[in-house]
Amino acid sequence: MKRYLVEPGKKFKLSERNPEDTGDFEGGKKEGLKAIVELNEKLQTLQELLYAEGRHKVLVVLQAMDTGGKDGVIRRVFDGVNPQGVKVAGFKVPTAEELAHDFLWRVHKVTPGNGEIVIFNRSHYEDVLVVRVHNYVPEAVWSKRYEQINEFEKILAENGTTILKFFLHISKDEQKERLQARLDDPTKHWKFSLGDLEERKLWDDYQAAYEEALKKTSTVHAPWYVVPANRKWYRDLVISRVLVETLEGMKMKYPEPREPLDGVVVE
Ligand code: AMP
Ligand code: MG
């Protein structure tokens, strides 16, 4: 999955990443969905182990253009995990109280504790994306945030948090189809806002803002993956693989029993 990394310190052009890509995966959608089921079973076991061991913290950041598939990833990749150890934190337009603090205030308090996985549905990156595109704060303010984000994520990492950041990369045409599909389906109207059409007009500005954010904040301790996301199954496959490989790499073990259990009989 290394091919989807934004390599720290290297040149990076978002336009050179193909949202249609399916890598070297041999099969099509049908095989892809089968592979996701297998990975999902592994993820469930690994998450249980993470929770039982209670040593590691995992932060998964999801960012995307509207309709990019953040909700779909949360539903499908994390299907069947134990809600006791997995939380989702969504970030909306900041409240007055949040705006009265620094931009990381609302973020830090919902980061994962020991044994937890927290999924960020949007994140502190909105503060260098939507905020930059709309000039909600002056450039002098947002331009300092890349470094502040790197420092913040370093604090988390040095205190035992594994950070994985995924940008779900769709094409402008794909977004058009998905917005149209939402319009055509009354059960999807709740997801549709006229504001999404205004944001779509700013597509190029957003791509530029994403490119800069991904380039400046992909670090060894908190790397970005640009996930090809036009095909939902491939998007889910890539994220499932990165998660499973990362959790397997932690070499976790179930904790030793609190007391010796040899010869213990349940009467
Ligand atoms: P949704 O995820 O579709 O429910 O929409 C949440 C909205 O909140 C999106 O339009 C985001 O761009 C917006 N949002 C999230 N964080 C911020 C922020 N820090 N400043 C301004 N808008 C934000
Ligand atoms: Mg939305």
Side-chain angles (χ1 to χ4, degrees):
M1 295 292 97
K2 284 227 160 65
R3 73 173 78 207
Y4 300 123
L5 271 176
V6 178
E7 302 255 15
K10 294 226 175 111
K11 94 175 212 323
F12 168 68
K13 283 257 167 288
L14 186 52
S15 57
E16 287 170 7
R17 302 293 178 110
N18 179 8
E20 291 281 344
D21 187 35
T22 51
D24 51 15
F25 188 72
E26 301 275 323
K29 180 172 176 179
K30 202 164 149 224
E31 287 77 19
L33 291 175
K34 235 171 33 199
I36 293 166
V37 169
E38 281 164 27
L39 286 163
N40 179 260
E41 277 163 20
K42 284 190 186 169
L43 182 66
Q44 291 187 32
T45 307
L46 287 160
Q47 185 257 319
E48 160 94 7
L49 186 51
L50 183 98
Y51 184 72
E53 197 194 42
R55 271 192 335 121
H56 296 275
K57 321 179 230 289
V58 178
L59 175 61
V60 177
V61 173
L62 298 179
Q63 281 289 156
M65 298 293 287
D66 286 321
T67 75
K70 301 189 301 306
D71 296 330
V73 167
I74 294 168
R75 234 180 314 113
R76 281 196 280 273
V77 172
F78 293 92
D79 188 30
V81 296
N82 186 346
Q84 187 125 254
V86 182
K87 292 184 195 153
V88 179
F91 295 91
K92 307 274 185 188
V93 177
T95 63
E97 189 189 22
E98 287 166 351
L99 281 174
H101 292 80
D102 72 84
F103 76 106
L104 293 168
W105 180 73
R106 66 172 181 167
V107 179
H108 201 167
K109 52 186 180 186
V110 291
T111 52
N114 286 333
E116 284 180 352
I117 298 176
V118 173
I119 306 155
F120 277 6
N121 183 347
R122 304 186 189 271
S123 65
H124 43 303
Y125 284 94
E126 293 292 325
D127 290 282
V128 290
L129 295 165
V130 65
V131 168
R132 162 179 159 155
V133 169
H134 288 280
N135 299 304
Y136 290 151
V137 300
E139 177 167 358
V141 175
W142 61 252
S143 63
K144 291 201 181 77
R145 289 182 173 168
Y146 303 101
E147 203 44 48
Q148 291 166 354
I149 287 172
N150 287 340
E151 293 295 326
F152 168 64
E153 292 178 352
K154 197 160 162 234
I155 293 171
L156 298 182
E158 287 181 351
N159 287 279
T161 305
T162 300
I163 306 170
L164 299 168
K165 301 183 295 198
F166 299 103
F167 171 57
L168 315 180
H169 185 33
I170 56 165
S171 62
K172 196 175 179 189
D173 287 344
E174 181 69 21
Q175 190 193 51
K176 185 174 186 191
E177 279 182 32
R178 292 186 188 184
L179 286 170
Q180 189 61 52
R182 280 186 187 178
L183 265 184
D184 295 344
D185 178 353
T187 72
K188 296 277 165 65
H189 284 179
W190 65 277
K191 279 195 168 198
F192 195 93
S193 99
L194 291 174
D196 294 347
L197 301 181
E198 293 306 309
E199 296 310 290
R200 178 172 165 76
K201 291 181 189 155
L202 301 169
W203 181 273
D204 292 342
D205 293 346
Y206 271 106
Q207 297 293 299
Y210 265 111
E211 182 169 278
E212 188 162 352
L214 297 172
K215 191 160 66 185
K216 288 191 166 162
T217 64
S218 197
T219 57
V220 176
H221 58 270
W224 273 109
Y225 291 84
V226 177
V227 181
N230 272 13
R231 290 186 177 79
K232 295 173 183 172
W233 65 268
Y234 191 67
R235 169 200 79 196
D236 294 344
L237 183 64
V238 168
I239 296 176
S240 300
R241 273 194 183 161
V242 172
L243 282 168
V244 167
E245 283 170 15
T246 302
L247 293 175
E248 280 176 347
M250 290 176 176
K251 308 273 176 247
M252 295 180 285
K253 287 202 287 290
Y254 283 100
E256 293 294 321
R258 272 163 276 210
E259 298 148 78
L261 297 179
D262 290 340
V264 172
V265 179
V266 182
E267 306 244 347

